[in-house]
Amino acid sequence: MSQGQWYPPEWPDRIRALAAGELTAVTPRRAATVMLLRDTDAQGGGPVVHMLRRRTSMAFAGGAYAYPGGGVDPRDDDRLIGWAGPPLEYWADRLGVATVTEAQAVVCAAVRETFEEAGVLLAGPTATTVVGDTTGDDWEADREALVARDLSFAEFLDRRGLVLRSDLLGAWARWITPEFEPRRYDTWFFVAALPEGQRTRDVSTEADRTVWIAPAEAARRYDAGELLMMPPTVTTLRALAPYGTAAEALEAADVQDMTPVLAQARLEGDELVLTWPGHDEFTKHVPTAGEGGGAA
């Protein structure tokens, strides 16, 4: 097993409780996260991805490296917004959701969270343009209002006269937090390229460090136990590593498998086996008695 896998010490007890019928799984909250890529000048170096290290005080995945992301705002389900790129019917099918309004809310969450946590905005005044600079005081006031949920993203776009550029996003993967976790998320992973003229800013209150790093290097440091990550993060890093440019990765998004990945726990003899279907490297073997868990 890789050395950098995020594995909370309370998981074994929660897995045992779930298997014994003593734990009721909570409904996962819809969420979105964005793998923001930037091309580098290095010969054959490929793109780098923007990552945040979550504060150790965070209740979920504290200390782990992740991408900008967060929960869906229900207010973005039912308000028409300026929209560019594939129609909502395409996004509903691609994301595997039942309605176009839900698709809009998930895509809005991806774009909003990228702005909230990295200061990067995938929107523009027209369907073919993108905002060039979001560093002014007025932009910061709006960003903070979004973070505080004093302003919905739909209201923000309308106030600014902006069009959401869904064509700048590609849906890449979907992972659902295991049933034994007290905080669960149904998370859609997107890929996007840093718009020309914009730059990331270290503005997330949930992170204590930000980095631009090559996906292969981040995965290597995870394998070496230097960077802590959750399974979906390292899986998507490995998937991004072969692409030579951000544009190549964005183009490849259309063929990525969007089947939801949900961890499963089963009883085998005297241990519980925790698996992520299709991702054997994350398998965990947890004793059915005693404290703590081991790894195979």
Side-chain angles (χ1 to χ4, degrees):
M1 188 207 77
S2 300
Q3 296 298 312
Q5 184 178 341
W6 180 70
Y7 189 70
E10 66 271 15
W11 268 15
D13 287 340
R14 295 190 64 84
I15 293 170
R16 286 191 285 270
L18 181 67
E22 301 167 354
L23 180 68
T24 300
V26 300
T27 301
R29 180 186 179 191
R30 296 175 300 166
T33 187
V34 176
M35 303 176 289
L36 188 63
L37 300 176
R38 173 172 59 84
D39 290 326
T40 62
D41 297 330
Q43 184 78 21
V48 289
V49 63
H50 183 66
M51 302 190 76
L52 317 170
R53 185 175 65 185
R54 294 174 59 83
R55 295 184 183 276
T56 56
S57 58
M58 297 296 294
F60 183 80
Y65 279 79
Y67 312 113
V72 168
D73 186 343
R75 294 177 296 178
D76 292 330
D77 277 79
D78 56 4
R79 177 169 175 169
L80 292 178
I81 65 172
W83 189 272
L88 285 168
E89 290 78 7
Y90 161 85
W91 283 108
D93 180 67
R94 183 73 181 122
L95 300 177
V97 298
T99 66
V100 295
T101 56
E102 186 174 1
Q104 174 179 289
V106 172
V107 176
C108 279
V111 177
R112 187 197 72 244
E113 289 288 340
T114 305
F115 181 51
E116 286 183 9
E117 297 197 345
V120 171
L121 184 59
L122 304 174
T126 71
T128 58
T129 59
V130 67
V131 172
D133 184 10
T134 64
T135 60
D137 290 343
D138 57 336
W139 286 105
E140 182 59 17
D142 277 351
R143 191 194 66 79
E144 291 179 352
L146 288 168
V147 172
R149 298 297 181 261
D150 294 332
L151 182 68
S152 76
F153 194 63
E155 292 168 337
F156 163 75
L157 292 175
D158 185 56
R159 174 191 295 182
R160 290 270 179 181
L162 296 175
V163 175
L164 186 150
R165 292 287 307 276
S166 78
D167 55 316
L168 301 181
L169 286 166
W172 193 273
R174 181 180 178 184
W175 288 65
I176 302 175
T177 309
E179 293 180 338
F180 47 81
E181 255 292 314
R183 293 172 178 81
R184 301 187 64 215
Y185 301 93
D186 183 353
T187 304
W188 285 266
F189 286 71
F190 294 85
V191 65
L194 180 69
E196 185 176 354
Q198 293 192 37
R199 60 183 178 86
T200 56
R201 293 183 288 133
D202 187 3
V203 291
S204 174
T205 58
E206 298 181 356
D208 59 14
R209 186 186 182 198
T210 63
V211 295
W212 283 100
I213 188 170
E217 173 63 10
R220 184 196 68 77
R221 294 183 64 184
Y222 165 88
D223 289 335
E226 297 172 4
L227 300 183
L228 187 68
M229 297 181 200
M230 294 175 285
T233 307
V234 72
T235 297
T236 49
L237 286 170
R238 297 199 203 284
L240 287 172
Y243 298 100
T245 66
E248 288 178 9
L250 187 59
E251 184 177 355
D254 286 342
V255 298
Q256 301 302 311
D257 185 3
M258 295 298 293
T259 303
V261 179
L262 172 64
Q264 300 173 352
R266 66 182 186 274
L267 184 63
E268 286 189 0
D270 60 354
E271 48 181 27
L272 286 165
V273 181
L274 173 62
T275 62
W276 279 259
H279 303 275
D280 292 343
E281 71 168 296
F282 306 118
T283 298
K284 283 278 190 177
H285 291 253
V286 182
T288 56
E291 299 296 327

